[in-house]
Amino acid sequence: MMSYFLALCKSHPGAVLARYRDLRAEGLLCDVFLEVSGKEFPAHKSLLACSSDYFRAMFKDYTRESKASVVRLQAVSATGLQHVLDFIYSSWLSLSLDALEDTLEAASYLQVTEAVALCSQYIVNNLGLENCCFCANVAFKFCLPDAILATDKYLVNNIWKLLEQEVGIMELLELNFKSLLTVVASDDISKVKELSLLRLVVKWVKHEKTRLVYTSRLLEHIRFGLVPLEELRDFYSRPEVLLTGTIKNSIIQAINYHSFAFRQPLVQDKSSTLRNQKPWIMLVGGGTAHEGLVKKVLAFDVYNHKWRATAPLPVKVQNHCICAVGNFLYVLGGETPSPSHDDAKSVAMPVSNAVHRYDPRSDQWMEVMGMLESRAQFSCCAVENSIVAVGGRADAKSFHSSVEIYDLSRNRWAKTRDLPHKMHGHASAVHNNIIYITGGKYMDQVNTSKDVYSFNMLKGDWKKQAPMSIARFGHQMATVKETIFTFLGIYEPFCDIEKFDPLLNQWTRLRPLIFDRFCYGLVVVEETVLLLGGRKWQDAQEVATPNVVGYDTENDYWEDICKLPCPLYGLKSAVLQLSDRATEDEKNLKRV
């Protein structure tokens, strides 16, 4: 048998095109002229047919154009045809924003698919604030899927920048309906107030009369629960566009949502859900060594390690409690400095019964109904649609055994079954809607306690459980899946932690924390428990620490995470869903 092989000459295709260019330049063997607006372009039918399905069909033997020496094209411009012919003869496509539509029009009409793909890639690679709306319109007009995805994503990510510029707003008013609908319907818009989106939709619809038919389809994606109440009422009573019954009903529901503020956590839906929301850890209350107690509130993006400041607390506070319900943050009780002793070094600060609520939608605090008792060093937790405050102290010598429940639907506190003892400095956690409290100090005892009690709200009774192996005071608890963990308290001589199995009523010792700490914040993120800031012993003194450490509950493992912007102690922490804000938050953080 004879052997053989195939050899490839990589330069051959380019050489053939080069020869065609030479023939075209010299006018040799050109068998057709393409005429557009009185201007003729010489070409070779064979190369045109190889590069375009349109020309391939045109130059079949049975067509009139196959025998014509001049073919007139009506649907393309001279500029567009010139660019497409240059591409057919060279594989190079001259692109610019000025000629993009002409080029795409010719390439699409003549079915030069490779040139269309290059135009689409040009749009994807050259998006900017000054051209994104234009590019979105071009992509939509010529049905370029990749370019549509890229431009829509760019618009969603950067609409906040466009809305800050007069030129940007004018560009948005020229945006095609589909792209604007994608933006308004997106869950991922950052740094844009809902009122700004509402105003943009109204301006866009009014910009051209033919757009009025799109009014409802756009407005149904506005989250009216995020629009301020007065603006809602004004828009409903004096609408600038025609509102359908469905849209009117959505606005009325949003007005009712704002009108009964204390019930808002119970009636959350998409119309009041923040866009672009991500989990942030809120650091509330406590203070620093230099400033004493502070009102500032910090938020930490645990996934991107970003910090930002939110609206400050109405009051300075320590030994308080916080909990989150319906993505609202409640701050309860604690010690607040009196006006005459506005610092953290006051020997005895008044104990408060006040309850303040933070709304991340408006970045504002409001005061709701206060507890029936003033409480400090107590515990609280959220169970279903209620907040339960347990024990604590009214002053330096008076402890509580009382337990009270906050009914969010009525904005009212009511007493329930008392604790078995008057106590403070205990901790609590919830598992399967049953409250568990551990440790603390009883009024009639000097030593801290190992006791554990559970409270079933349906039955209304307290039940004693297996005690901890360590007596704890001023400690914290966390529930992760089916397990309850207890962490360090005040003045503990060791750093052991332990976990409790509610089904087996059994405690187990775990890996100790390397460094001691107390008066820290604690949150659970997925299956990791984070301890933020607090105090520790250093050179026989209590010092505030900025360290954030994490405990992997799955692998019983500790690790350093990051540092706070400044050392904080006495803080409380919770996880809230926040939306990215504009740059003033970053400026506020620099002042912290």
Side-chain angles (χ1 to χ4, degrees), residues 46 124 132-133 162 183 199 209 213 280 303 308 364 450 465 498 501 506:
S46 57
V124 173
C132 57
C133 293
L162 293 169
V183 171
R199 289 172 174 169
K209 290 184 178 180
V213 294
W280 290 73
Y303 296 107
R308 86 184 206 202
Q364 292 180 345
K450 298 180 182 180
Q465 303 288 343
E498 50 191 324
D501 186 330
Q506 178 178 308

Side-chain angles (χ1 to χ4, degrees), residues 472 486-488 495-498 508-511 551 558:
R472 299 182 187 273
T486 59
F487 295 89
L488 311 182
C495 300
D496 290 58
I497 63 173
E498 50 191 324
T508 305
R509 287 279 193 103
L510 300 169
R511 187 186 301 272
Y551 176 66
W558 289 94

Side-chain angles (χ1 to χ4, degrees), residues 284-287 292-295 313-322 331-339 341-356 371 373-378 392-399 424-425 473 490 519 535 569-572:
V284 184
L293 297 187
V294 294
K295 290 184 178 180
L313 270 168
V315 295
K316 298 177 180 181
V317 66
Q318 68 177 10
N319 291 322
H320 54 296
C321 283
I322 69 173
V331 179
L332 300 84
E335 296 172 316
T336 59
S338 61
H341 298 89
D342 192 16
D343 60 65
K345 299 178 181 179
S346 300
V347 175
M349 287 186 285
V351 176
S352 172
N353 72 329
V355 179
H356 294 91
M371 296 180 290
E373 306 273 10
S374 297
R375 300 177 189 269
Q377 291 184 299
F378 64 111
R393 58 178 176 82
D395 53 44
K397 297 181 179 180
S398 301
F399 300 172
H424 75 298
F473 173 83
I490 298 176
C519 298
R535 281 180 167 148
Y569 66 88
L571 65 154
K572 298 292 184 180

Side-chain angles (χ1 to χ4, degrees), residues 176-229:
N176 68 86
F177 165 69
K178 288 289 187 181
S179 294
L180 181 60
L181 180 64
T182 299
V183 171
V184 175
S186 174
D187 292 329
D188 202 31
I189 302 174
S190 63
K191 304 179 183 180
V192 176
K193 294 181 178 179
E194 202 68 21
L195 179 59
S196 298
L197 287 179
L198 174 59
R199 289 172 174 169
L200 172 63
V201 167
V202 172
K203 285 183 179 180
W204 186 89
V205 169
K206 293 174 62 179
H207 193 62
E208 293 179 8
K209 290 184 178 180
T210 55
R211 296 177 177 177
L212 292 174
V213 294
Y214 299 124
T215 302
S216 293
R217 291 183 63 186
L218 290 168
L219 287 180
E220 69 184 14
H221 294 288
I222 294 296
R223 302 187 180 188
F224 291 107
L226 303 179
V227 178
L229 178 58

Side-chain angles (χ1 to χ4, degrees), residues 144 264 278 294:
L144 308 176
Q264 289 173 345
K278 300 173 183 176
V294 294

